[in-house]
Amino acid sequence: MGELRRFRLPDVGEGLTEGEILSWLVAVGDTVTVNQPLCEVETAKAAVELPSPFAGTVTELLYEVGAMVDVGAPIITVDVGGGSAAPVAAPGEDEVEAGLIGGPAPGGRTSVLVGYGPRTTEATRRPRRSGTAVAARATTPQVLPEADDGSGADRPPLLATAPDVTSKPTRLGGLEVGRAVEANAVADAQAAADARPPGRGALRPLAKPPVRKYAKDLGVDLVTVPGTGPGGVVTRADVDAVLRSRAPGTEVRASGTGSPGGTGGETRVPVKGVRKHTAAAMVASAFTAPHVTEFLTVDVTRMMKLRARLAVRPEFTGLKVSPLLFVARAVVLAARRHPMVNSSWDEAAQEIVVKEQVNLGIAAATPRGLVVPNIKNAGQLSLAELATALAGLTATAREGRTPPADMSGGTITITNVGVFGVDTGTPILTPGESVILAFGAVREMPWVVRGGKGRKGKVRPRQVTTLALSFDHRVVDGELGSGFLADVGALLHDPGTAWAY
Amino acid sequence: MTALQQATEVVDPVPGADAPHLPTPPDLVQLLTPEGQRLEHPDYSIDVSADELRSLYRDLALVRRWDVEATALQRQGELGIWASLLGQEAAQVGAGRALRPDDMAFPTYREHGVAWTRDVDPLHVMSLFRGSDMGGWDPLATRFNLYTVVIGAQCLHATGYAMGLQRDGAESAALAFLGDGATSQGEVNEALIWATTFDAPVVFFCQYNQYAISVPIERQSNVPLYQRAAGFGLPGVRVDGNDVLAVLAVTRAALAAAREGQGPTFIEAFTYRMGAHTTSDDPTRYRLASELEAWKLRDPIARVKAYLSRSGLADPAFFAAVDAEGDELAARLRQGVLGMADPAGTEIFDSVYAEMTPPLAQQRAEFVAYHQGFES
């Protein structure tokens, strides 16, 4: 008789509430030993491997890669008894040994090391010994069927109770937990109701989500796989068997590049990590700050010439004197004349916070996604120092080693879309900032040049770029935004203007 | 593939390119090279028997096995936190085995290897990290003080204790443990000043493990730590902290000098924390994987094993027996931790004063009554 145990996501870093499953290192059907790594989890503090507390056979992975899991929620089921466990039959609550996760602890309390709070059986408050409290408790629905603890033979299995659970709010220990488990349970129940064993007109073969992904990654259509699991469920081993039976030399698709047939399918990419962070920040910004974007096309030929002259000076030995450097410098100088652009809207206090120093953010495309590290107090740096800071910032960002301190406290951002060869865009503000400047590609373009008073304009090839400035209209009005943008443009058009600043 | 392996491949294809330079003799006292070759040193020769050497290997291996199990238990939610000693086994076992039974050790919160040499039950140490008690061992019986989490504070405790030994006329010494980060603490500087001024029989054993959490030595000192001792007026020695024989020899000599009234010594054990600062820390944020790879080549246990094997002092059966003993230990510790009872909340009242005071007794009664007011 097999005995099923569930491993709950522990708090691996003092006071964490959730973690993201980065990868599973085991699959359903695998035999695991105590301390064998089960999965990699990323928390707010670190990415760590979780070792198995049990020895046995993996029967269930309860979350997919990419899922955010609440601390205390079960993530994996292991059959520790060996032999044939009835699916879903988990040990009753009382069978969990004292001291084990979720097991009873002295004093009648639930062992709380996992998740720092008794969340397994009770609602948010411990019941007091009083008449009303007891009455109130009696009407409290028994929350969560606790797939991990529930059911001997006399108890209904998880799938039967799962839909009931989703109809009720499940708040445990002050946190909503286990939503994904419930959703999975409902989906599985639905699948069980819909599907029939393969070969008898099955609509969709039965398989656990990790097995589905495994098969999809390897380019195996589950319909073609005979399932040998309980009730005809397709297991990982079945997928492997089909793979082995293929003709030798058949190349197997390595990973999620779509189905081999390429019949207009779609690839679903889980939203996580930097992508997730970027999305949240952009939504927050776009829907709180009313954005206005202004454009300015500038002849920057003189700036490009100055750049060539400066680059050969000894101060810039080994440094990249890029057009972005001049834009950065121009933004800092212009911000000095228009200090209100270097500010932040404080909704809670109903105040505009004007910053004393410019921490200049540079949007950088990295292998992990978009990050915006900033150069602290950029206004105090010489041009060479600014060039050094820019080079360091981007190199660090590309290596993915930008420390969190470099990404916080920015006040103005530049996004250099020109490096991608495009002319301009309408940038979205970095949350907490009031202006962002997009710097487009510098191109040789026909430009009308006037030689002097009374002369007719002539069309000449000139180095031209387009600047786009988005600003938060709560803080910056059109006049101020235009003045700032015009000053940046003037400094790039004629760098000599800087003498006047 | 683990995160570590990935980082190794992505960050730096040349192992060791960024690892700190390992100082070489004579600045560094070394008796056993990373390759397992015995060296001689003019000031710190040591004569260890085959039995002692095998015993040291057993200490190192079992301490590491304990540490690995504790880290796993934390990841399984059974310990609140764990400060891993991975990589520092030789520094701790060498220092611990240099102590005489009557000497007194003052640890930080990472000296599991020293606790082992003082016969402190590992479960007593782990109960502290589980939050079941405040450290269950008897500091006087084991001559191993309770763990001190306040950085550097134990150096003052050790110095005060040593001054007491001096006044008692006892021929014992105190051994204070500290890390490189602690050298920037006021307490440590005060302790060094007091110890030298009064010639207290105390040895300061600094495990320079390269990082004060994430802060490298460049932010702590612009001279090697052992050279700082000169400014306080005590001898400073730098020893290869991954060489258990050298650590044993240097610490023995320093403790002997202290007992004989020659005053304190500052030992810098040059070592490396292979794991995270604690289980809450992510070392990949401040150091490169290549650095860790380079230090793995200087592993404190591998060199003893190499020496034992090469010189014919131990056979494969011995190593297998030690491994088996390690697994037994790990199983015992796992079972012990899982079976630890939650503490009664009243303990906090019971150990505040030598005798219970009336206000405290009243508070205790209220506390008990409050908790009895719950159904479960």
Side-chain angles (χ1 to χ4, degrees):
Chain A
M1 166 72 189
E3 183 190 358
L4 298 186
R5 290 277 184 81
R6 287 203 169 171
F7 179 32
R8 291 160 190 265
L9 182 72
D11 173 5
V12 294
E14 296 177 278
L16 300 171
T17 57
E18 60 180 11
E20 178 185 329
I21 308 276
L22 286 186
S23 64
W24 280 108
L25 306 172
V26 296
V28 172
D30 285 1
T31 303
V32 294
T33 56
V34 170
N35 292 347
Q36 177 179 337
L38 295 176
C39 61
E40 204 184 355
V41 172
E42 180 161 37
T43 67
K45 288 185 178 175
V48 300
E49 285 180 355
L50 297 185
S52 173
F54 317 121
T57 309
V58 178
T59 60
E60 217 176 355
L61 305 181
L62 295 168
Y63 287 94
E64 297 234 40
V65 166
M68 286 303 284
V69 183
D70 291 316
V71 164
I75 56 172
I76 186 172
T77 312
V78 177
D79 180 353
V80 298
S84 57
V88 199
E93 216 169 270
D94 297 335
E95 292 172 20
V96 180
E97 286 172 36
L100 277 185
I101 304 161
R109 305 213 316 263
T110 302
S111 186
V112 294
L113 258 174
V114 171
Y116 289 116
R119 288 179 188 163
T120 51
T121 53
E122 296 293 347
T124 52
R125 280 168 179 270
R126 287 167 69 195
R128 301 303 303 259
R129 284 186 206 277
S130 77
T132 52
V134 171
R137 191 187 174 213
T139 60
T140 305
Q142 200 59 29
V143 285
L144 249 200
E146 270 310 283
D148 44 322
D149 298 329
S151 111
D154 56 330
R155 293 200 193 179
L158 166 67
L159 296 184
T161 56
D164 189 33
V165 170
T166 50
S167 66
K168 294 172 186 170
T170 306
R171 290 189 70 82
L172 299 173
L175 285 172
E176 277 185 282
V177 297
R179 274 289 163 90
V181 180
E182 295 155 17
N184 285 345
V186 175
D188 281 358
Q190 197 59 43
D194 289 347
R196 282 153 196 82
R200 286 194 286 147
L203 296 175
R204 188 171 178 237
L206 288 172
K208 295 278 167 51
V211 177
R212 286 189 192 286
K213 180 170 191 313
Y214 182 65
K216 188 177 175 190
D217 289 349
L218 295 170
V220 176
D221 186 350
L222 281 180
V223 174
T224 66
V225 183
T228 63
V233 170
V234 176
T235 66
R236 195 184 180 88
D238 298 335
V239 177
D240 286 338
V242 167
L243 273 179
R244 273 195 303 275
S245 68
R246 285 188 176 177
T250 305
E251 198 58 40
V252 171
R253 301 281 297 240
S255 66
T257 47
S259 61
T263 51
E266 57 186 16
T267 305
R268 299 188 73 88
V269 180
V271 175
K272 53 185 181 176
V274 175
R275 176 84 266 143
K276 190 170 181 174
H277 180 77
T278 303
M282 288 300 100
V283 168
S285 174
F287 294 105
T288 52
H291 283 58
V292 177
T293 308
E294 296 187 333
F295 305 94
L296 180 66
T297 306
V298 199
D299 168 13
V300 294
T301 312
R302 283 184 225 176
M303 181 270 277
M304 296 298 272
K305 283 181 178 165
L306 174 63
R307 171 176 166 251
R309 287 214 305 281
L310 288 181
V312 298
R313 292 183 58 87
E315 295 92 325
F316 294 93
T317 307
L319 288 177
K320 189 180 174 196
V321 187
S322 64
L324 178 63
L325 174 62
F326 289 86
V327 177
R329 179 70 155 187
V331 164
V332 168
L333 288 173
R336 199 180 291 170
R337 294 232 302 199
H338 307 280
M340 279 298 284
V341 301
N342 193 42
S343 62
S344 180
W345 177 268
D346 186 340
E347 181 69 34
Q350 287 296 304
E351 286 171 345
I352 294 168
V353 186
V354 183
K355 311 288 171 63
E356 287 182 357
Q357 65 178 43
V358 175
N359 295 337
L360 189 63
I362 306 291
T366 74
R368 293 172 59 211
L370 172 69
V371 298
V372 189
N374 62 72
I375 301 169
K376 297 281 185 287
N377 207 358
Q380 293 301 308
L381 302 180
S382 71
L383 198 62
E385 288 166 341
L386 195 57
T388 310
L390 267 177
L393 202 73
T394 45
T396 311
R398 296 224 168 91
E399 289 169 23
R401 295 197 286 115
T402 303
D406 276 7
M407 284 191 277
S408 62
T411 64
I412 296 180
T413 298
I414 298 175
T415 173
N416 186 12
V417 296
V419 293
F420 305 115
V422 303
D423 289 328
T424 190
T426 56
I428 296 178
L429 291 164
T430 308
E433 301 181 12
S434 293
V435 296
I436 179 169
L437 183 78
F439 173 40
V442 178
R443 303 181 193 281
E444 197 160 57
M445 302 268 278
W447 195 258
V448 179
V449 179
R450 292 196 180 273
K453 198 179 177 184
R455 297 239 186 127
K456 274 169 73 175
K458 289 182 178 167
V459 176
R460 294 272 184 256
R462 301 287 284 181
Q463 303 273 352
V464 175
T465 191
T466 305
L467 303 173
L469 182 81
S470 290
F471 51 85
D472 182 345
H473 212 327
R474 293 175 301 181
V475 181
V476 180
D477 289 332
E479 183 190 9
L480 175 59
S482 307
F484 176 71
L485 181 59
D487 276 356
V488 173
L491 283 162
L492 295 177
H493 173 66
D494 180 4
T497 315
W499 279 101
Y501 282 65
Chain B
M1 178 178 286
T2 65
L4 190 65
Q5 286 167 322
Q6 281 174 343
T8 310
E9 287 176 12
V10 174
V11 173
D12 186 355
V14 186
D18 292 296
H21 167 66
L22 180 68
T24 48
D27 283 348
L28 182 81
V29 180
Q30 192 178 61
L31 300 177
L32 192 60
T33 68
E35 295 75 33
Q37 276 184 315
R38 275 288 263 128
L39 301 178
E40 283 306 321
H41 191 281
D43 302 325
Y44 298 102
S45 70
I46 191 168
D47 193 18
V48 286
S49 68
D51 273 348
E52 282 178 283
L53 210 51
R54 283 193 291 265
S55 172
L56 286 171
Y57 174 81
R58 178 179 166 275
D59 286 342
L60 295 169
L62 294 185
V63 164
R64 177 169 290 185
R65 188 65 187 85
W66 165 16
D67 187 75
V68 166
E69 196 65 18
T71 302
L73 282 165
Q74 197 282 335
R75 292 286 181 243
Q76 289 156 2
E78 300 296 344
L79 298 179
I81 187 173
W82 181 251
S84 168
L85 61 51
L86 195 68
Q88 298 175 227
E89 295 89 349
Q92 297 191 6
V93 167
R97 288 294 177 210
L99 288 162
R100 282 198 330 210
D102 54 310
D103 293 333
M104 182 76 183
F106 291 82
T108 71
Y109 46 82
R110 203 192 297 281
E111 263 65 73
H112 320 315
V114 186
W116 174 264
T117 65
R118 302 307 268 175
D119 291 330
V120 172
D121 188 337
L123 282 173
H124 278 154
V125 176
M126 293 165 92
S127 64
L128 171 67
F129 286 89
R130 188 175 164 95
S132 298
D133 59 38
M134 300 296 194
W137 64 91
D138 180 346
L140 290 178
T142 55
R143 314 294 294 159
F144 183 69
N145 198 34
L146 292 173
Y147 273 5
T148 301
V149 180
V150 177
I151 304 301
Q154 70 283 358
C155 291
L156 282 175
H157 308 160
T159 302
Y161 186 90
M163 289 171 66
L165 288 175
Q166 198 174 35
R167 277 146 190 76
D168 288 347
E171 283 193 13
S172 305
L175 182 57
F177 288 88
L178 66 151
D180 39 295
T183 60
S184 298
Q185 291 282 348
E187 287 104 319
V188 173
N189 288 267
E190 291 167 27
L192 288 168
I193 290 167
W194 278 80
T196 48
T197 310
F198 288 87
D199 272 342
V202 55
V203 173
F204 297 93
F205 189 89
C206 174
Q207 288 169 79
Y208 168 34
N209 68 10
Q210 313 295 324
Y211 292 95
I213 305 187
S214 61
V215 179
I217 195 70
E218 295 80 32
R219 302 282 173 84
Q220 308 272 359
S221 176
N222 56 4
V223 295
L225 290 175
Y226 77 100
Q227 289 181 6
R228 278 193 162 179
F232 292 93
L234 77 166
V237 187
R238 178 185 257 179
V239 59
D240 182 347
N242 287 12
D243 173 355
V244 69
L245 295 183
V247 173
L248 183 62
V250 168
T251 314
R252 256 187 200 164
L255 287 169
R259 289 185 210 105
E260 287 164 12
Q262 295 180 44
T265 303
F266 183 93
I267 300 173
E268 175 194 337
F270 196 89
T271 181
Y272 190 74
R273 190 192 75 217
M274 288 184 177
H277 170 71
T278 67
T279 43
S280 301
D281 170 45
D282 181 357
T284 62
R285 293 195 186 184
Y286 52 83
R287 67 186 192 193
L288 295 177
S290 58
E291 186 180 298
L292 177 61
E293 292 305 311
W295 275 95
K296 281 182 183 170
L297 301 175
R298 302 169 190 165
D299 186 272
I301 303 183
R303 66 179 75 184
V304 180
K305 189 172 187 177
Y307 178 64
L308 282 172
S309 308
R310 199 174 302 141
S311 52
L313 299 175
D315 55 11
F318 166 76
F319 296 117
V322 172
D323 286 348
E325 193 180 355
D327 289 340
E328 278 169 33
L329 172 71
R332 178 175 82 82
L333 298 182
R334 168 167 293 271
Q335 199 180 9
V337 165
L338 297 183
M340 278 176 192
D342 279 1
T346 51
E347 280 180 1
I348 196 165
F349 299 96
D350 298 340
S351 305
V352 178
Y353 297 111
E355 292 167 16
M356 181 69 78
T357 65
L360 200 60
Q362 189 190 341
Q363 286 173 20
R364 188 185 193 281
E366 285 170 4
F367 180 84
V368 169
Y370 174 76
H371 280 276
Q372 282 173 347
F374 291 97
E375 285 187 335
S376 59

